[in-house]
Amino acid sequence: MMTEHAFAATTERHETPERIRVWDPLVRIFHWTLVAGFATAFVVEDALLGVHVWAGYLVLTLIGVRLVWGLIGTRHARFSDFVRSPRQVRAYIADALHLRAPRYLGHNPAGGAMVVALMVAVAATGLTGMAVYGAEELSGPLAGTMRALAPSWGHRFEEVHEVLANLTLGLVVVHVAGVLFSSFAHHENLIGGMISGFKRRDA
């Protein structure tokens, strides 16, 4: 796995006095692959069960990799760079609503809270999906555990799985709205930044 210094060595030459590399390749690949994986699982549902299941495995794997990278990754990828207390998040949101919130190179406090919320929601959705797959299809990593439970547990997990999937979709909508709002407030293309990795240097 690449270290922070390795990433810096391969990307600094593309920086300019006006722009700086903020999002490393792993963060960007994680972000867009997670989008694709969750969207695929949500859209196909049980109509293409195999695709749905493997999309679920993909997003769970991505969450695992991102957890590790959040501890050892590049500066703005680390949880220590963007996870803030609830008080700081509330204060930032209040300032943002009055269009006076400061600009951050990495995730702002509200964005950091959303990253954590989405990761938890996606992980919970994936894990309950594995439980449903184990109970109803007797397949997957949790098949042995679910086989030992009463059949009714499969239906319970399925209901929870569906609620969590819809909750995650709601968080995605709020996340996109927040990105668009911040892009407007700070006059920059945050979506483009997550594609290229670069943002405006002044912060």
Side-chain angles (χ1 to χ4, degrees), residues 21 28 47 85 99 130 167 174:
R21 175 83 73 176
R28 288 178 282 135
S85 68
L99 297 179
M130 280 178 30
L167 172 63
V174 174

Side-chain angles (χ1 to χ4, degrees), residues 41-122:
F42 193 91
V43 170
V44 303
E45 294 186 317
D46 293 338
L48 295 171
L49 183 59
V51 174
H52 181 86
V53 168
W54 282 103
Y57 289 154
L58 172 63
V59 298
L60 285 173
T61 301
L62 289 168
I63 294 297
V65 172
R66 186 64 182 89
L67 286 172
V68 174
W69 198 239
L71 298 175
I72 67 172
T74 54
R75 174 186 172 186
H76 295 296
R78 293 178 187 172
F79 298 124
S80 59
D81 184 71
F82 60 81
V83 175
R84 300 287 184 268
S85 68
R87 179 171 167 273
Q88 289 173 297
V89 173
R90 288 194 299 269
Y92 178 86
I93 292 174
D95 286 341
L97 292 175
H98 290 90
L99 297 179
R100 63 180 185 226
R103 175 177 177 265
Y104 287 76
L105 272 179
H107 292 299
N108 61 52
M114 181 57 73
V115 169
V116 174
L118 280 169
M119 289 180 66
V120 170
V122 168

